[in-house]
Amino acid sequence: MRHPQPERMTNVSIGSRIAAVIAIACFVAMTGCGEPTGPRTICCVSHPQPEQIATNLSVLAVELHDAADIFAQGVEDAALRPKAELAVNNLADQLLAGRVQSSRAALFQARLLLASLNDTQAIDLAPVGLALDYVERRMNEILTGS
């Protein structure tokens, strides 16, 4: 007695193809979440570390707040004056609070302002650039304990 051989399916319907594609996509998405290059899941998100505080930085803030007014008086461009004063005062505020990362970010923003100036404006704000150099050098000295 012969057993009938099952017929092979040669006609795969579109519905089963879509289901197969969805199943493969779900598998790839689930395994990709655990990979460093895949999307982050809730379990992988690290909690932000508190910002480093260095109270010694506050000594630079007083000098910088005083200098901000003097720097602003030397700027002839009325639109540039408040931007320069704001950048220097923001840096001074961060230094006064002793926030290391925020101080470095404010210093970077002030340098970006100086880098975006034309020649005439750059001459007006040359003392600000020198002050930023001094503040950065003193910050590094304070933080390294030199």
Side-chain angles (χ1 to χ4, degrees), residues 2 5 8 10-11 13 17 19 23 25 44 58 81 85 92-93 99 111-113 119 130 134 143-144:
R2 269 186 167 186
Q5 294 210 357
R8 293 188 177 229
T10 56
N11 186 7
S13 69
R17 286 183 188 172
C44 299
S58 62
R81 185 178 301 134
E85 194 170 347
D93 291 341
R99 296 186 195 112
R111 289 199 186 278
L112 280 179
L113 174 70
D119 291 340
L130 294 173
Y134 170 75
L143 294 173
T144 59

Side-chain angles (χ1 to χ4, degrees), residues 4 10 21 29 46 51 98 107 113 116 141:
T10 56
V21 169
S46 63
E51 186 170 0
L107 183 65
L113 174 70
S116 68
E141 289 173 0

Side-chain angles (χ1 to χ4, degrees), residues 11-114:
N11 186 7
V12 179
S13 69
I14 292 178
S16 63
R17 286 183 188 172
I18 292 174
V21 169
I22 291 174
I24 291 171
C26 289
F27 175 76
V28 170
M30 286 189 303
T31 57
C33 289
E35 298 295 325
T37 57
R40 298 286 179 207
T41 59
I42 294 172
C43 66
C44 299
V45 177
S46 63
H47 298 288
Q49 298 295 324
E51 186 170 0
Q52 178 186 0
I53 302 293
T55 56
N56 300 347
L57 294 178
S58 62
V59 297
L60 297 172
V62 177
E63 298 171 12
L64 203 53
H65 268 301
D66 292 340
D69 298 331
I70 295 168
F71 294 148
Q73 290 172 2
V75 178
E76 293 181 17
D77 187 349
L80 180 61
R81 185 178 301 134
K83 290 179 184 177
E85 194 170 347
L86 179 67
V88 173
N89 281 329
N90 183 30
L91 174 58
D93 291 341
Q94 298 305 325
L95 289 169
L96 186 61
R99 296 186 195 112
V100 176
Q101 296 294 345
S102 297
S103 296
R104 292 197 187 279
L107 183 65
F108 177 74
Q109 290 299 323
R111 289 199 186 278
L112 280 179
L113 174 70
L114 293 179

